[in-house]
Amino acid sequence: MNTEERIKKQLELIETMGRIFEREGMQPVVGRIMALLMVMDKEMFTFDQIVEELQISKSSASVGLKILQASNSIEYTTIPGDRKRYFRIKSQDPLSLMEDIKRKIEEKRGILTQVLELKADPESRNSQFFKNLIYIMNHFLEKYEKHKEKYQNKG
Amino acid sequence: MNTEERIKKQLELIETMGRIFEREGMQPVVGRIMALLMVMDKEMFTFDQIVEELQISKSSASVGLKILQASNSIEYTTIPGDRKRYFRIKSQDPLSLMEDIKRKIEEKRGILTQVLELKADPESRNSQFFKNLIYIMNHFLEKYEKHKEKYQNKG
DNA sequence: ATTTTAGTTCGGTAAGTTCCGAACTAAAAA
DNA sequence: TTTTTAGTTCGGAACTTACCGAACTAAAAT
């Protein structure tokens, strides 16, 4: 694959990823900024480069970048003697991805526990189903913790 | 806690759960139908009972129930000599919850793999970060499979 | 001192979503 | 045969979101 082909595919991937981020609740422009910062060979973009590359307004870029910073997804560095901000994705601890998933499972478990506590009949069809769900959630959360420990110790 | 208190809390929980489902992409009415079928002591509701209980229009109920059936979240039974449909949540295999999570991780891994393949420099900051993410995803997917097997064998 | 750079903030608009009521249908009951 | 029941479908109103352009600001360059 030559460079030209590669760049074309990268641009396509930005659209695809943008839609995935959108499905997860980001607004379209925000998702595409995130995707841009992830896929291109250049990994630091200035405000104007983002505006130019994605063909969006300065205001959308400004708001979008603010949202991504607030959600801890990107950061910027500055170069002395250069007024521009250079934006890039924030490379957090890779485990934080798994921690997000864990938190979501815990949230669901919390809700199901409340539902169960409020049931008149703890043996009803739904009660039993929810007990099962909670059981499996506990099982996997437990296993997850063990593997996290191992992973952290080994590095 | 007496029955009255319990029912009041159940109604509150419907609102809370509705908002959680909303955050996950359901439209408000759909989320509240789902929550209703989950939390109340009665676990089978007719169309009219849903309309009445949630104070929504018949059209919203009709569309909402169709969406929930299409997404495999609810089902209905009928009673011979009774024209009404009795809707209830579908209690799938509890593992399917974990399978959903697995699929999402796999999807993300697929995208990151594509990103990585299109990078000019496979040792760039972002490339390295993505490699790390993919590594940890693989690690946990592998462990997940093992535990699933164990769980299925034991029951 | 004034112009340029690098953004931010505000107001409005276009598009999309969500929901409702009214009119409809198909089957069962009267 | 007419009426009732149990929904469905359609069109549009009300609201929300997503984005833009224009006006603005604060710092740096000229």
Side-chain angles (χ1 to χ4, degrees), chain A residues 4 16 30 33 42 45-46 78 92-94 110 129-130 138 140:
Chain A
E4 212 177 310
T16 308
V30 176
I33 294 175
K42 191 192 345 224
F45 284 78
T46 67
T78 46
Q92 313 113 298
D93 175 11
F129 176 46
F130 297 147
N138 282 332
F140 279 95

Side-chain angles (χ1 to χ4, degrees), chain B residues 40-57:
Chain B
M40 300 306 273
D41 291 327
K42 185 179 11 207
E43 301 188 343
M44 310 253 277
F45 282 78
T46 67
F47 187 92
D48 282 323
Q49 286 168 344
I50 292 167
V51 165
E52 172 60 22
E53 194 69 49
L54 297 178
Q55 298 283 30
I56 58 178
S57 70

Side-chain angles (χ1 to χ4, degrees), chain A residues 63-79:
Chain A
V63 171
L65 288 167
K66 197 158 283 177
I67 289 170
L68 287 171
Q69 288 174 82
S71 70
N72 218 22
S73 306
I74 65 167
E75 61 189 358
Y76 66 83
T77 42
T78 46
I79 298 172

Side-chain angles (χ1 to χ4, degrees), chain A residues 97-109:
Chain A
L97 190 131
M98 292 294 153
E99 289 291 300
D100 285 348
I101 293 169
K102 182 188 146 195
R103 264 192 299 278
K104 278 184 195 162
I105 295 178
E106 283 172 339
E107 189 194 28
K108 279 194 184 135
R109 183 182 59 178

